[in-house]
Amino acid sequence: MAQAGKNRIGIIGVGQMGHGIAFNIVKAGYPLVFLDHPGNQPVDDLLARGAARASTPADVARQADMVILCVTGTPEVEDVLFKEDGVLAGMRPGTVVIDCSTAIPSSTLRVAQAVEKAGGLFLDAPMTRTPKEAAEGRLNLIVGGDPALFERCKPVLQTYAENIVHAGPIGSGHRLKLLHNYVSLGFSAVLAEAAACARLANVDSAVLLEILAKGGGDGVVLGRLRPYIESGDTANFRFSIANALKDMGYYTTMAEETGAPHGTAQAIRDTYADASRAGIAQAPVPQIIDYLAGPPARH
């Protein structure tokens, strides 16, 4: 149950990642209010520990000293902040807004300016790892914003994160998250193409995995995709193809805005886009192997 004297935390987005964040915050004794939304995971465990529901983002903000956003991406962040009954409409002076979503950094800067103009404070704190680590309170956070504010918020962040890095000023967290996801999703696309080619070339998948693991293909991505290649198990990699496409789109937007080369990134984005158009947008990333190994007419 909530402990006296602790800041009241609001959270918007109690989905696969947000539910783990919310549960660990309330488990640590912080009073919690969350946005009631159809996209939430079951919340009985949160309610049992004293968390409260709110009907609008403004209602969440009115009741919170700190509002954590854990929504899909830039359009959703802007919507929950700026709409008529959004966070900015209910936010009190001094409220801290922490955006854990994956977002386009140029939007992050505009959002931060709007929050500060309304009297609030802002950190971008996107996360890496999976819903499993979210439930365990073992996420990685990449935080952008004022160092003093970061230190003040760290006790709350530590309730649901194992590794927390202060990346620099506002926007740095989201820039680094996109760089991270480009590398991770890029490796995934490369490995998926290799696995599809191996299947079509009648190469034994067990031998392929052994060679990769003992050579230059070893690493986190191989570990995540390996159970699917071996037995069709997606539990290690529940990130959807739609989300992969979104993040690759955000990365190429950032690269375009900064004048960075992004030919390889565009090709990877196109791979996820083709799979999405083929009707498997909500499938987990490992299933792109089956799409790539399918009949030529499919791609």
Side-chain angles (χ1 to χ4, degrees):
M1 292 297 178
Q3 297 175 15
K6 288 203 170 188
N7 285 338
R8 188 170 180 84
I9 311 301
I11 184 165
I12 296 172
V14 188
Q16 287 191 359
M17 299 294 283
H19 182 273
I21 291 173
F23 182 79
N24 282 290
I25 288 171
V26 77
K27 180 182 174 183
Y30 286 90
L32 183 78
V33 56
F34 63 89
L35 179 66
D36 197 14
H37 189 274
N40 288 348
Q41 294 290 298
V43 295
D44 289 350
D45 54 349
L46 303 181
L47 297 170
R49 287 181 173 265
R53 305 177 197 257
S55 59
T56 68
D59 287 337
V60 172
R62 288 187 189 100
Q63 300 177 57
D65 303 300
M66 181 183 298
V67 178
I68 295 173
L69 309 180
C70 190
V71 295
T72 303
T74 291
E76 292 79 13
V77 170
E78 293 179 351
D79 180 63
V80 298
L81 283 168
F82 297 132
K83 65 184 177 181
E84 187 175 343
D85 57 356
V87 169
L88 294 185
M91 190 179 73
R92 293 171 288 118
T95 299
V96 180
V97 175
I98 300 179
D99 182 12
C100 287
S101 310
T102 302
I104 299 170
S106 55
S107 171
T108 301
L109 297 178
R110 293 191 297 270
V111 162
Q113 289 170 357
V115 169
E116 291 169 356
K117 186 177 179 182
L121 303 165
F122 183 88
L123 294 174
D124 51 302
M127 54 206 162
T128 65
R129 293 190 167 171
T130 70
K132 177 178 180 290
E133 286 86 19
E136 295 168 349
R138 297 179 50 247
L139 290 172
N140 295 334
L141 296 183
I142 314 163
V143 186
D146 177 72
L149 179 62
F150 166 68
E151 291 296 332
R152 177 150 69 90
C153 295
K154 191 184 283 188
V156 176
L157 304 179
Q158 287 172 328
T159 66
Y160 63 88
E162 180 177 43
N163 300 301
I164 305 172
V165 175
H166 182 250
I170 289 170
S172 300
H174 281 146
R175 292 188 189 99
L176 276 160
K177 171 64 184 292
L178 293 179
L179 287 162
H180 169 277
N181 279 22
Y182 167 44
V183 172
S184 176
L185 293 169
F187 285 179
S188 299
V190 168
L191 180 53
E193 278 199 359
C197 182
R199 186 185 299 178
L200 294 169
N202 296 315
V203 171
D204 188 308
S205 62
V207 178
L208 171 69
L209 291 169
E210 180 183 1
I211 296 302
L212 291 174
K214 291 179 177 178
D218 197 18
V220 171
V221 171
L222 181 64
R224 287 181 178 171
L225 281 171
R226 183 171 195 142
Y228 188 78
I229 296 169
E230 287 177 331
S231 63
D233 182 2
T234 63
N236 262 22
F237 203 160
R238 291 163 55 195
F239 199 70
S240 73
I241 290 168
N243 275 331
L245 175 58
K246 168 185 67 73
D247 288 2
M248 287 305 307
Y250 287 1
Y251 177 82
T252 55
T253 296
M254 179 177 76
E256 288 168 0
E257 291 178 348
T258 56
H262 54 282
T264 303
Q266 187 62 50
I268 292 165
R269 183 198 173 279
D270 289 346
T271 296
Y272 289 114
D274 290 346
S276 186
R277 281 193 295 268
I280 57 170
Q282 298 309 315
V285 164
Q287 290 185 18
I288 203 169
I289 296 170
D290 302 324
Y291 163 72
L292 292 169
R298 291 179 60 189
H299 51 89

